[in-house]
Amino acid sequence: MIVEGFNNKRELKTVKFETELLVVGGGLTGVCCAITAARAGVKVILIQDRPILGGNASSEVRLWSLGATSHMGNNNRWSREGGVINEILTENIYRNKEGNPVIFDMLLIDKVLNENNIILLLNTCVFSIEKYSTKKIKSVKAYNSSSETFYEVEAQFFADCSGDGIISYLAGIPYRIGAEDGNEFFEGFAPDKEVYGEVMGHSIFFYMKDTGSPVSFVKPDFALENIEEYVSKINNNEYFSINHHGCKYWWLEYGGRLDTIHDTEKIKFELWKVVYGIWNYIKNSGKYPEMQNYTLEWVGLIPGKRESRRFKGLYMLSQKDIMEQRLHYDAVAYGGWAIDLHPSDGVYASGKACNQWHSKGVYQIPYRCYLSDAVSNLMFGGRIISASHVANGSTRVMCTSALGGQVIGMTISLCLKKNLLPIDFVDETRIKDLQRELILCGNFIPNIDLDDNDNILKDAVIECSSTYKLSELKSNGSFESLRYSAALLFPIKDTLPGMSIEVEAIEDTELEIQLRKSSKRGNYTPDETLEVKKIYIKQGRQFVHFVFDRHFEKEEYVFIAFMSNDKVSLAVSDNILTGVTTVYNQVNIAVSNYGRQDPPEGIGIEAFEFWCPKRRPEAKNLAIIFDTPLSLYAVDNLKNLCYRPFNGTNAWAADSNDSTPYLAVNWNVEKKISKMIFNFDVDYDHAMETVQYGHYDDVMPQCVRDFTIIDDKGNVVKEVKNNYLSQVVIRLDSSLKTDSLRIYFHKPNENTPVCVMGIGIY
């Protein structure tokens, strides 16, 4: 076909949409926002300016996604984020436990395309907005260069998850860039703006590959010469190693002294100079002959951003909110990554590449951080939320940001159902509706206790085939050296029973055993020592019995801590139990964990020890025998709204020897049922990094895989096979009328009993 003729006003194609919610930004925040809203029945358009979803988690950047679990290197037990981001992480483990970033791209696209209520526009960049008034947005304009198409999207509500906050910026919402003075929010960790700088830079990573035969490398002319002179960390084993690639080079950072928005391309080229300079150093300096068969497989195409605009919301989160774990009536999300600040000079800075300080536990993020009163139909999420520069050092990480995306998606769905605006949920009564909906989707909001009055399980009598009682964690016959102090962590109420543990000593010695707990209920930092036992141990194997004379009024977690002694080894167990784990006072340099945290005086950070678990398959529980079995898994736990261990196991578990574990739910009157929700344990203590790390399991060993639901007439209502997710939602094609249900479960594996975290019946 030939198109002829001259037209001095040739038009590009324009496509117009009308929708209920427009989400701008396809990183994990935007993806979780769009999926949440779509599942609640909202018509959504998701605009992403890149060819793939994921933002910093995508294969274009390849940063592992993390949040409160912090590489399992802090004291935030069972803290992995819930809801949609947990579903994505768990799905990625199942499909992609090796951590291939391209497969993660595929997973995100698959998740979004499976939602019929989402229209996805990739490679599409928003460049202008139109408003009805100063306080209400009407539409946005966007452009896709690859298809030469303009889009005009009119929406009732807008979610800015764009990273740099393009919608919020164009809408005129006040924002901040850079650090506040320390006295503005009384932040002792506020940086010295002249020396340290006040904005964090961008990073670019690289991957390498062993080809099996020698590979030469001819550097590009732009590569940085004399790398040892300009990049001092190349001589620091904590940062540089030829065994590192990908996110291990997070410290290849630059741009904090520049405009981190408008100078992004300049920053990218500087980082490319550094990356190719480092690769030239590895290949051609003569110091690493073992790298002769390696080739440079991939270099990041765009820099991963840490910081730019932060928009002024109704509340500004600050250092004290994080470190003091302040409570907020409108808490809707939480964080737990360290306050993690980087010098603005990045890779060219002398000294440490980052300064990380941890809180003693997770902290709440209030709803008011996600909206402004300047625009009525807009919310913002991700690293642009209302937080100080110091607080942003923690809230900016992807899994924490993704929780905010789900908050926005759920809020907009409720606004549409109830004819409200986002600001209406600042109300102390209405916020409970939002909190409840988030929790029912599998989210966790620490220290928020709500009821679900619509769940008819609360009206039922629940019987079970058996209940697990913790009498012992059986020894597998092997022993673990007490090179580091180790502790069994479990919840207790009432009187702590006596305990016995098998030890092996290479010579006569003394074993110190401490009873510890957290000074703050709900934390897992063992900063209070309640009692100390010192027991004489003879050379060889023997059982040690000890008793701590303690009574606990409320259920809380305790640590039975065996203090380091390299002459002693303790028996270990293969048993895996929900809400029970073994932790170690050891080091995880990746998150500035050196066994304890000792901050300088005057910066508002507490000193404390780190007690952290190991990863499977190395992770084992200490083998222990209780004089009196512990009742940790009552069936009434199924009625609460906390679907993870927190101040208790919050679970029902069947006895390990129960060959046919079941729950019988009886109402004695006919009920009409259209939906059921089952919550299972997918090990919220395991950090599910999306790339590079790789994982031992594709399904968490505690997770119930198979179960069957039967009605009062013996009919099979639903049979679920090969489940690997934390939450299974069953929607019936037609309402079921029954006065009882019986649910049969299959034991997930030999070392783990059947465990259920909560059931909703509607």
Side-chain angles (χ1 to χ4, degrees):
M1 180 178 70
I2 298 175
V3 179
E4 295 181 335
F6 174 74
N7 185 339
N8 63 0
K9 198 173 188 301
R10 183 168 285 164
E11 298 282 348
L12 294 178
K13 181 180 178 181
T14 298
V15 176
K16 295 185 178 182
F17 288 108
E18 291 185 9
T19 192
E20 292 175 317
L21 172 62
L22 172 63
V23 181
V24 178
L28 293 184
T29 307
V31 166
C32 290
C33 178
I35 290 174
T36 299
R39 289 178 178 176
V42 178
K43 298 298 182 184
V44 180
I45 291 178
L46 173 59
I47 291 181
Q48 163 73 329
D49 62 359
R50 305 299 306 167
I52 51 178
L53 297 169
N56 281 348
S58 74
S59 63
E60 290 187 308
V61 180
R62 305 193 181 192
L63 177 63
W64 48 51
S65 303
L66 275 179
T69 52
S70 193
H71 289 308
M72 298 165 67
N74 61 16
N75 291 342
N76 299 341
R77 300 283 64 76
W78 300 291
S79 66
R80 195 179 67 246
E81 293 71 18
V84 174
I85 187 59
N86 180 57
E87 179 184 327
I88 288 170
L89 297 176
T90 310
E91 185 86 41
N92 186 56
I93 291 288
Y94 182 69
R95 299 192 193 187
N96 181 34
K97 71 176 185 176
E98 297 77 20
N100 183 332
V102 176
I103 300 300
F104 189 62
D105 288 348
M106 173 209 74
L107 185 151
L108 292 179
I109 291 288
D110 197 31
K111 282 285 184 189
V112 169
L113 294 183
N114 271 327
E115 299 297 334
N116 294 329
N117 284 333
I118 299 178
I119 294 173
L120 175 63
L121 303 177
L122 294 173
N123 286 316
T124 302
C125 182
V126 170
F127 62 87
S128 71
I129 70 169
E130 183 180 352
K131 291 172 124 182
Y132 290 110
S133 65
T134 57
K135 297 196 72 168
K136 188 175 183 182
I137 302 173
K138 178 183 180 183
S139 63
V140 306
K141 291 185 178 180
Y143 180 61
N144 184 314
S145 61
S146 61
S147 64
E148 293 187 352
T149 301
F150 282 106
Y151 292 99
E152 294 181 10
V153 183
E154 187 172 332
Q156 293 175 249
F157 294 95
F158 297 81
D160 189 347
C161 306
S162 61
D164 288 329
I166 183 62
I167 300 294
S168 303
Y169 172 77
L170 293 172
I173 295 179
Y175 65 93
R176 298 180 179 218
I177 290 182
E180 289 78 14
D181 291 331
N183 58 9
E184 182 172 356
F185 296 110
F186 304 101
E187 295 178 309
F189 192 35
D192 181 319
K193 296 182 183 182
E194 296 299 321
V195 177
Y196 201 78
E198 52 180 318
V199 178
M200 290 180 279
H202 308 349
S203 287
I204 275 181
F205 310 134
F206 64 91
Y207 277 37
M208 51 189 168
K209 179 181 179 180
D210 186 350
T211 66
S213 58
V215 177
S216 63
F217 176 69
V218 180
K219 73 174 183 63
D221 290 339
F222 64 77
L224 184 65
E225 300 272 12
N226 302 319
I227 200 78
E228 288 180 292
E229 178 183 347
Y230 292 104
V231 181
S232 61
K233 293 176 184 64
I234 209 81
N235 298 310
N236 186 328
N237 292 334
E238 184 176 335
Y239 297 109
F240 176 75
S241 168
I242 57 172
N243 298 315
H244 289 173
H245 72 171
C247 313
K248 295 284 187 180
Y249 280 106
W250 56 267
W251 54 273
L252 298 184
E253 179 178 355
Y254 180 73
R257 301 282 186 184
L258 303 178
D259 184 327
T260 56
I261 297 173
H262 298 107
D263 289 333
T264 293
E265 286 297 296
K266 182 178 180 179
I267 293 167
K268 177 184 74 176
F269 277 104
E270 185 66 24
L271 286 167
W272 276 350
K273 286 170 57 178
V274 173
V275 167
Y276 284 101
I278 287 177
W279 187 246
N280 180 54
Y281 173 74
I282 290 172
K283 292 292 290 184
N284 296 324
S285 68
K287 294 184 177 182
Y288 306 106
E290 64 270 39
M291 299 300 290
Q292 67 172 342
N293 292 350
Y294 279 78
T295 187
L296 188 59
E297 184 182 30
W298 171 86
V299 176
L301 304 176
I302 59 173
K305 289 190 179 184
R306 287 183 178 85
E307 185 179 10
S308 58
R309 302 181 182 108
R310 292 172 283 111
F311 289 88
K312 182 182 177 184
L314 301 178
Y315 185 87
M316 181 78 74
L317 202 76
S318 69
Q319 175 182 328
K320 285 181 175 290
D321 289 290
I322 293 173
M323 289 299 164
E324 296 175 7
Q325 298 175 273
R326 289 179 171 176
L327 299 180
H328 301 276
Y329 78 94
D330 61 337
V332 287
Y334 67 94
W337 186 260
I339 294 182
D340 182 4
L341 300 184
H342 298 209
S344 294
D345 292 320
V347 71
Y348 298 125
S350 59
K352 297 177 67 174
C354 74
N355 284 277
Q356 293 181 317
W357 298 111
H358 298 259
S359 62
K360 287 186 172 182
V362 298
Y363 59 89
Q364 295 180 341
I365 302 177
Y367 175 74
R368 289 162 290 160
C369 291
Y370 299 100
L371 74 162
S372 164
D373 57 4
V375 177
S376 63
N377 62 340
L378 170 69
M379 297 184 71
F380 38 80
R383 57 184 166 85
I384 63 175
I385 67 168
S386 185
S388 71
H389 167 75
V390 173
N392 177 259
S394 175
T395 61
R396 63 185 171 83
V397 295
M398 280 186 278
C399 290
T400 306
S401 294
L403 288 181
Q406 183 146 26
V407 169
I408 296 171
M410 187 62 72
T411 301
I412 301 308
S413 74
L414 293 176
C415 285
L416 290 164
K417 289 175 185 175
K418 299 173 181 286
N419 193 28
L420 297 171
L421 293 173
I423 201 165
D424 293 326
F425 286 93
V426 175
D427 176 80
E428 293 194 23
T429 300
R430 287 198 178 114
I431 193 64
K432 295 184 186 301
D433 294 335
L434 174 58
Q435 291 166 332
R436 185 177 293 105
E437 291 299 323
L438 289 167
I439 291 170
L440 290 175
C441 288
N443 284 282
F444 169 62
I445 308 175
N447 294 300
I448 294 294
D449 187 17
L450 297 172
D451 294 322
D452 179 14
N453 293 325
D454 294 331
N455 184 1
I456 64 172
L457 184 72
K458 72 181 188 307
D459 303 323
V461 175
I462 307 175
E463 299 174 351
C464 56
S465 56
S466 63
T467 300
Y468 187 94
K469 293 188 184 297
L470 179 53
S471 58
E472 70 172 313
L473 293 166
K474 293 183 179 179
S475 171
N476 63 13
S478 59
F479 289 77
E480 183 173 71
S481 172
L482 266 182
R483 180 185 169 199
Y484 299 100
S485 298
L488 187 68
L489 175 61
F490 59 88
I492 186 69
K493 185 181 179 183
D494 300 325
T495 301
L496 189 65
M499 290 161 270
S500 298
I501 189 163
E502 189 177 10
V503 304
E504 185 175 55
I506 58 175
E507 62 181 65
D508 293 357
T509 187
E510 185 177 69
L511 175 62
E512 182 174 323
I513 309 173
Q514 297 183 358
L515 173 62
R516 293 190 180 191
K517 75 179 193 69
S518 170
S519 58
K520 187 171 188 176
R521 190 166 176 264
N523 279 359
Y524 302 98
T525 295
D527 53 356
E528 280 193 10
T529 301
L530 304 178
E531 198 171 338
V532 176
K533 300 285 184 184
K534 293 186 178 181
I535 300 174
Y536 176 72
I537 306 291
K538 293 182 178 180
Q539 181 181 359
R541 288 189 185 179
Q542 62 222 267
F543 277 91
V544 171
H545 182 265
F546 53 95
V547 179
F548 290 111
D549 184 20
R550 286 286 165 169
H551 183 86
F552 297 87
E553 294 297 330
K554 291 184 177 180
E555 189 172 30
E556 59 183 307
Y557 271 86
V558 295
F559 294 72
I560 307 300
F562 301 87
M563 308 311 290
S564 61
N565 183 337
D566 58 11
K567 301 179 180 65
V568 175
S569 296
L570 303 182
V572 295
S573 172
D574 292 327
N575 292 151
I576 299 173
L577 296 177
T578 292
V580 175
T581 191
T582 296
V583 291
Y584 301 84
N585 179 217
Q586 60 184 58
V587 172
N588 187 331
I589 294 175
V591 290
S592 299
N593 171 349
Y594 300 93
R596 64 175 288 115
Q597 173 170 283
D598 287 304
E601 289 187 13
I603 69 168
I605 311 291
E606 289 190 73
F608 57 86
E609 293 176 343
F610 292 102
W611 291 72
C612 310
K614 296 181 180 180
R615 290 176 184 259
R616 287 185 296 275
E618 287 77 19
K620 305 288 182 184
N621 271 318
L622 297 179
I624 199 163
I625 301 171
F626 294 93
D627 291 355
T628 305
L630 301 179
S631 298
L632 307 179
Y633 302 98
V635 73
D636 282 347
N637 286 337
L638 295 171
K639 296 182 179 182
N640 71 31
L641 285 184
C642 189
Y643 308 135
R644 65 179 65 205
F646 183 73
N647 292 325
T649 65
N650 295 311
W652 164 75
D655 187 89
S656 291
N657 297 318
D658 190 342
S659 60
T660 313
Y662 70 84
L663 291 168
V665 181
N666 300 292
W667 290 280
N668 297 322
V669 295
E670 190 172 77
K671 296 287 186 178
K672 190 176 181 180
I673 301 169
S674 58
K675 183 173 76 170
M676 289 175 272
I677 302 174
F678 291 83
N679 294 278
F680 300 112
D681 183 5
V682 288
D683 192 0
Y684 287 98
D685 219 9
H686 182 66
M688 292 184 172
E689 297 92 346
T690 45
V691 298
Q692 190 171 321
Y693 260 62
H695 301 274
Y696 179 71
D697 305 293
D698 56 358
V699 178
M700 295 298 104
Q702 301 95 318
C703 184
V704 170
R705 307 296 312 280
D706 307 321
F707 63 100
T708 303
I709 306 167
I710 296 174
D711 67 12
D712 56 357
K713 299 178 180 61
N715 300 315
V716 174
V717 177
K718 183 71 176 181
E719 188 172 17
V720 175
K721 294 283 190 182
N722 298 318
N723 170 58
Y724 50 87
L725 297 173
S726 61
Q727 190 171 78
V728 177
V729 180
I730 297 169
R731 291 182 173 87
L732 303 177
D733 295 333
S734 57
S735 294
L736 170 68
K737 294 180 179 179
T738 185
D739 63 12
S740 64
L741 292 172
R742 187 166 286 228
I743 308 147
Y744 290 92
F745 301 93
H746 291 272
K747 190 175 178 181
N749 60 70
E750 179 183 352
N751 295 312
T752 309
V754 163
C755 179
V756 185
M757 302 297 296
I759 299 175
I761 303 176
Y762 307 92

